[in-house]
Amino acid sequence: MYETILVAFDGSEYSKAGLLEAAHWIKKHGGNLYAIYVVHFYEEEFLIFPELREKKINVAFNECTKVREELKEKLGIEFQCIIKEGEPTEEIIEEAKTVNATLIVAGTYGKKGYLKRLVLGSVSTELCLNSPVDVLIVKKPCEACRGEYKNILIPFDNSDFSKMALRKAFRFYKEYQSAINVIYVLPTRMELVDFYVTPHIKQKMQEEGEKILKEAQKLAENEKVPIEIIIEEGLVADKIIEVAKNRGCDLIIIGPYGWKRTIERRLIGSITEKILHISEIPVLVVKEGGR
């Protein structure tokens, strides 16, 4: 599925987690692995401390050399580490086009809670917004990486974006026999601001959720893919993460949900972005459906 993978690498433990995840995938399924280290500094910084440019490039070279040796010794994996200068997101996406990457992998420093998360300009978030190919976000080192995903959770609301994610999950089943869990979360009163939820309305919401999941079931039946349907109630992103953990899922697949550049993109409070920042398991943001 992912024959060429590009990993955003900066020497941090989070980017090493992403590289390790990608390396296990390549070892298991074959393909080409690249890492890109983007040296970024402000023009004012360079004018005041011109020696920083060479110092930062040397750091990048040393980090790349070190991790190449580690992965070769640990997994027998060879990969090319590319060092660029510029704005990280732009350089990563441009390099992905150059090497014909079918997946970009990035770590994230996101933490729980809106006030503790990274700002909108974070590289991982911007990659999810602007990448032309799928993006895998990895938050922590995977101590039991296998290079495969056997138990996948897909949040589904019958939107085109959730259908895109579901079609990608179908491909995981067809190629790797992954178990597919499809979840719809009924929002709580906390998320329905200015809307009083009566018992009758709650029942209607339940019926609507069941109707939505029936659409997922129809799509699965058409593709001859078995899925498990889950309906829950709670804070949507938190409940998705809770269910993924309780069911032992090793991957969450989500759609981009209409994110676009700058002011056209959805607000920082979007469910998709919250999932990216609080999930402890890898999250795959799909840009292409079953391809």
Side-chain angles (χ1 to χ4, degrees):
M1 184 186 301
Y2 297 119
E3 297 82 10
T4 302
I5 301 177
L6 178 67
V7 181
F9 179 71
D10 63 5
S12 68
E13 62 175 301
Y14 300 93
S15 65
K16 288 179 181 178
L19 187 55
L20 183 60
E21 188 87 19
H24 276 281
W25 175 277
I26 293 296
K27 184 176 178 65
K28 180 76 175 181
H29 305 290
N32 302 309
L33 178 62
Y34 298 86
I36 179 170
Y37 192 123
V38 181
V39 177
H40 176 69
F41 52 84
Y42 297 101
E43 183 177 352
E44 295 84 357
E45 181 183 34
F46 176 68
L47 291 174
I48 298 174
F49 305 104
E51 67 277 8
L52 279 180
R53 177 179 180 275
E54 183 177 357
K55 182 178 180 180
K56 287 189 174 184
I57 291 176
N58 286 337
V59 169
F61 178 81
N62 292 335
E63 289 288 351
C64 285
T65 301
K66 181 180 178 181
V67 77
R68 285 182 64 189
E69 293 174 351
E70 289 175 353
L71 283 186
K72 184 176 181 180
E73 180 179 352
K74 185 174 183 178
L75 298 177
I77 295 292
E78 295 275 5
F79 69 95
Q80 181 178 351
C81 192
I82 302 156
I83 299 175
K84 290 287 189 73
E85 296 179 58
E87 197 285 319
T89 303
E90 293 178 2
E91 294 296 335
I92 292 166
I93 291 176
E94 188 61 33
E95 192 61 34
K97 295 176 183 177
T98 299
V99 301
N100 293 317
T102 49
L103 177 70
I104 294 175
V105 178
T108 177
Y109 294 88
K111 299 179 181 179
K112 293 183 179 180
Y114 287 125
L115 297 179
K116 295 182 180 180
R117 340 186 303 197
L118 283 182
V119 297
L120 286 173
S122 68
V123 173
S124 58
T125 300
E126 291 298 327
L127 285 173
C128 292
L129 291 172
N130 302 316
S131 171
V133 299
D134 295 353
V135 179
L136 181 68
I137 299 298
V138 180
K139 186 159 185 183
K140 66 177 183 179
C142 50
E143 298 174 353
C145 287
R146 299 183 302 275
E148 57 187 355
Y149 302 105
K150 288 297 186 181
N151 193 12
I152 300 173
L153 182 68
I154 303 92
F156 187 80
D157 61 7
N158 205 31
S159 66
D160 290 341
F161 304 106
S162 63
K163 290 177 182 177
M164 185 187 303
L166 189 57
R167 287 194 296 269
K168 181 68 71 172
F170 291 163
R171 185 167 176 184
F172 272 91
Y173 169 79
K174 292 177 180 179
E175 296 191 22
Y176 313 117
Q177 293 74 55
S178 306
I180 307 300
N181 307 275
V182 183
I183 184 171
Y184 178 81
V185 181
L186 302 173
T188 65
R189 296 176 184 179
M190 294 175 61
E191 293 181 308
L192 295 172
V193 181
D194 298 328
F195 192 80
Y196 182 69
V197 181
T198 65
H200 175 70
I201 291 176
K202 186 173 182 179
Q203 180 181 348
K204 290 297 183 182
M205 290 169 58
Q206 175 77 22
E207 292 172 356
E208 180 64 20
E210 293 172 356
K211 181 180 178 181
I212 287 171
L213 289 176
K214 283 182 180 178
E215 292 301 317
Q217 189 71 59
K218 288 179 184 178
L219 292 172
E221 290 172 355
N222 289 339
E223 293 290 331
K224 296 181 173 56
V225 174
I227 65 174
E228 181 169 353
I229 295 299
I230 306 163
I231 188 165
E232 293 279 355
E233 180 182 357
L235 294 172
V236 179
D238 298 88
K239 182 58 68 173
I240 290 168
I241 300 302
E242 177 187 325
V243 170
K245 181 178 180 180
N246 291 342
R247 288 178 172 260
C249 295
D250 45 28
L251 182 69
I252 298 173
I253 302 180
I254 56 179
Y257 283 84
W259 277 352
K260 296 182 180 179
R261 295 178 184 272
T262 60
I263 61 174
E264 293 182 340
R265 55 183 286 187
R266 297 192 68 180
L267 297 176
I268 187 170
S270 70
I271 292 169
T272 299
E273 190 171 4
K274 188 177 181 184
I275 290 172
L276 288 174
H277 285 278
I278 68 175
S279 176
E280 294 292 339
I281 67 174
V283 178
L284 180 66
V285 180
V286 301
K287 296 303 185 81
E288 304 171 315
R291 289 161 47 182

